[in-house]
Amino acid sequence: EVQLQASGGGLVQAGGSLRLSCAASGFTYDDYVMGWFRQAPGKEREGVSCIRSSDGDEYYADSVKGRFTISSDPAKKTVYLQMNNLKPEDTAVYYCAADLPGYYSFSYYMRPGGMEHWGKGTLVTVSS
């Protein structure tokens, strides 16, 4: 059974930084995609960023490009999302997600509900 454990959310002022972590267990393949979605109050869940284990290729939503950086530790099956220059509009519940194997396009995986496995969300609040 795949399990995803996310951590690192919190309250930060605009312009500040946070780092989210997501540790996975139960993967049966070494080829996978892991990433982050977020859902703000009253809005649809949106894909934020993901990374593919086979080639390290990364995806970022336009709204976070240049501010967020995704990275991974394959040995630990853990992904990180470094969020810099946070804005109030980044306030949301952030969800870690994963899918195996990871050979489809990022547009497939980054659809709302595009990944099979989901962790519990972690709240990020950015104050103005």
Side-chain angles (χ1 to χ4, degrees), residues 1-8 20-27 32 34-36 71 73-81 96-98 117-120:
E1 178 187 5
V2 173
Q3 293 186 335
L4 303 173
Q5 182 66 48
S7 61
L20 305 182
S21 299
C22 177
S25 61
F27 280 2
Y32 54 86
M34 286 182 70
W36 297 90
S71 61
D73 183 339
K76 296 181 179 180
K77 298 290 193 293
T78 299
V79 293
Y80 307 94
L81 187 67
C96 177
H117 305 287
W118 294 82
K120 293 182 180 179

Side-chain angles (χ1 to χ4, degrees), residues 4-84:
L4 303 173
Q5 182 66 48
S7 61
L11 173 64
V12 65
Q13 288 188 331
S17 299
L18 282 174
R19 188 193 195 206
L20 305 182
S21 299
C22 177
S25 61
F27 280 2
T28 54
Y29 306 110
D30 287 331
D31 178 17
Y32 54 86
V33 170
M34 286 182 70
W36 297 90
F37 291 72
R38 67 185 181 187
Q39 188 164 19
K43 293 189 176 181
E44 190 178 49
R45 189 172 298 187
E46 64 170 346
V48 174
S49 180
C50 67
I51 188 167
R52 198 193 315 272
S53 66
S54 61
D55 56 12
D57 203 9
E58 302 168 7
Y59 164 89
Y60 296 95
D62 288 342
S63 57
V64 306
K65 281 181 182 176
R67 300 187 298 122
F68 290 11
T69 302
I70 194 168
S71 61
S72 69
D73 183 339
K76 296 181 179 180
K77 298 290 193 293
T78 299
V79 293
Y80 307 94
L81 187 67
Q82 178 66 42
M83 305 185 293
N84 297 330

